[in-house]
Amino acid sequence: MPAWLTVVGIGDDGFAGLGRPARRALLTASVVYGGERHLAMLPARLAARRATWPRPFDLAPLLAERGGAVCVLASGDPMLFGVGATLARQLPAGELRVLPAPSSLSLAAARLGWPLQEVATVSLVGRPLASLNAHLHEGARVFVLSADGHTPAALAAQLSARGFGATRMIVLEHLGGELERRLDGLADQWSASDVAALNLIALECRASADAPRLPLTCGLPDDAFRHDGQLTKRDVRAITLARLAPTPGELLWDVGAGSGSIGIEWMRAHPACRAIAIEADEARQRFIEHNRDALGVPGLQLVAGRAPGALQGLPAPDAVFIGGGVTAPGVLDACWARLRDGGRLVANAVTLQGEAVLAAWRERHGGTLTRIALAHAQPLGGFDTWRQALPITMLEATKGAGGGAPGQA
């Protein structure tokens, strides 16, 4: 089927700013879908029927027009956090034509002289403010797509609370249009209240001395997490995540998640990484909810329950970490059965009983066992000595088409 749907990117300069192919597509369309603001930009001479998006948003009415001459209006570049990307997941490439306009990010970079490839981008349209937290680093530049005119003030308050009150904020309203305006200020001194709903925020991050320093590598400091002691400690966590080996788009089950540290760091490895934390203890569930927001991965899914029962109905994982409950009957086998071919399973045990379970499981399914023994220098009288942490036994197995391959301890 030839392309029946054309997605037209439109800027704040409206129909007058469109190129010839975009105008032709709109003039020959039988129906144009879009938001009220975009549809209001169209001239009266267009014969096409105007259809606003249903609320809640639903593509079904548009897809029912399949085969006609249909246009969709979208802000700027429709493939950048836009409806074009949503439609591309629903339709074959041959049925869809996209005619982008300059995105708000491109316009903002041009106004500020910031190389676009060096600026992180966060969308807060339909997403929580906590999504920004993973991008807060000294000296970082960030573009934030605002949800509305209240976003800048809410963002300023959050930056101040996180120790980034000295961050320079630049709010750009109506980029590319006649009403374009720029507002400048520091996060901890932000007072502008009459911000237009259509705005983009540019941040130059500046951290105070007491702001949390959160590196990009795995193995965040233990005090970055709220916990009750049920926490995979920093060094063991770094080793565990190296064995889990996150890659973009993969899904992790963090079984017996405790504070959620493994799932959180898995998701911080790449924006496309996904994780589900399974935890039965209510107090620890609250820790997970706090930690995922504080560390910038509010999309981590929390399942309240105990494995293996709580695993029913969950999407199949690409990797599984079992940090608690390896001795519970059926947990290891249930996780292994649901793991995708080529997926990794890592399980840690600190007790003799847990170690015995891992060793017995390895005899049946293969994999490797590793003993992790760490020591820390601590005072002893007027001197220092080594204090041994409890040793950790780690099972690692990769699932093949015929099951795991036996390994050597």
Side-chain angles (χ1 to χ4, degrees):
M1 177 183 292
W4 58 273
L5 177 61
T6 301
V7 185
V8 174
I10 190 167
D12 212 52
D13 51 359
F15 189 81
L18 296 177
R20 182 175 298 174
R23 292 190 186 192
R24 184 182 300 115
L26 289 166
L27 287 168
T28 59
S30 59
V31 58
V32 179
Y33 279 80
E36 293 178 1
R37 182 176 70 87
H38 291 142
L39 293 176
M41 295 177 175
L42 298 179
R45 68 176 185 274
L46 255 70
R49 174 170 56 89
R50 292 154 171 78
T52 57
W53 292 115
R55 297 182 181 178
F57 181 79
D58 187 2
L59 288 177
L62 169 67
L63 297 177
E65 308 268 4
R66 193 171 192 164
V70 183
C71 277
V72 167
L73 286 177
S75 294
D77 185 348
M79 301 304 291
L80 182 70
F81 296 104
V83 70
T86 304
L87 287 165
R89 289 190 286 266
Q90 299 287 328
L91 295 171
E95 297 187 27
L96 180 67
R97 182 173 63 142
V98 180
L99 303 175
S103 70
S104 59
L105 303 182
S106 296
L107 293 173
R111 301 291 188 271
L112 300 176
W114 292 5
L116 190 53
Q117 72 273 13
E118 298 175 6
V119 185
T121 301
V122 178
S123 175
L124 297 182
V125 180
R127 297 172 176 85
L129 281 171
S131 303
L132 176 66
N133 291 342
H135 300 272
L136 296 181
H137 306 281
E138 171 63 29
R141 285 175 168 174
V142 185
F143 282 150
V144 181
L145 303 178
S146 285
D148 53 36
H150 303 291
T151 302
L155 193 56
Q158 176 156 307
L159 288 167
S160 300
R162 301 271 313 163
F164 283 82
T167 294
R168 179 186 176 205
M169 292 179 55
I170 305 164
V171 175
L172 299 167
E173 301 176 337
H174 294 288
L175 276 164
E178 294 181 356
L179 300 178
E180 183 172 322
R181 184 175 70 141
R182 170 174 170 163
L183 302 170
D184 289 74
L186 300 180
D188 58 5
Q189 300 174 18
W190 190 260
S191 59
S193 57
D194 59 338
V195 179
L198 187 63
N199 73 84
L200 177 146
I201 308 167
L203 303 177
E204 286 189 307
C205 296
R206 292 291 178 266
S208 63
D210 58 348
R213 185 180 183 278
L214 302 176
L216 296 177
T217 54
C218 59
L220 294 177
D222 292 344
D223 60 9
F225 300 92
R226 186 176 291 179
H227 63 92
D228 59 359
Q230 188 71 14
L231 172 76
T232 302
K233 300 300 191 294
R234 182 180 194 172
D235 297 313
V236 175
R237 191 180 338 119
I239 296 171
T240 300
L241 284 156
R243 301 296 182 92
L244 287 167
T247 58
E250 288 192 322
L251 171 66
L252 170 77
W253 284 0
D254 185 359
V255 181
S259 65
S261 62
I262 294 292
I264 288 169
E265 292 221 43
W266 169 279
M267 290 186 65
R268 283 174 59 89
H270 191 274
C273 286
R274 299 166 293 137
I276 300 174
I278 298 97
E279 176 55 54
D281 184 272
E282 290 189 10
R284 291 170 184 163
Q285 292 166 15
R286 305 291 82 77
F287 291 151
I288 293 171
E289 291 171 340
H290 168 83
N291 292 333
R292 69 183 178 187
D293 286 353
L295 296 170
V297 289
L300 181 141
Q301 181 183 345
L302 173 61
V303 172
R306 193 180 306 278
L311 307 178
Q312 295 297 319
L314 299 184
D318 301 287
V320 175
F321 173 64
I322 306 174
V326 295
T327 58
V331 170
L332 272 165
D333 288 337
C335 291
W336 186 251
R338 294 290 307 283
L339 186 65
R340 297 183 189 275
D341 283 347
R344 291 85 63 203
L345 182 145
V346 176
N348 291 351
V350 70
T351 66
L352 291 174
Q353 291 79 6
E355 182 178 282
V357 169
L358 297 186
W361 190 92
R362 174 179 171 271
E363 288 297 316
R364 299 194 306 274
H365 299 283
T368 61
L369 287 176
T370 303
R371 172 66 63 86
I372 303 171
L374 299 169
H376 302 278
Q378 294 184 3
L380 179 65
F383 300 92
D384 293 315
T385 190
W386 292 108
R387 298 287 186 188
Q388 296 286 337
L390 291 173
I392 303 291
T393 299
M394 174 184 290
L395 168 71
E396 178 189 4
T398 299
K399 187 174 182 180
Q408 300 297 319

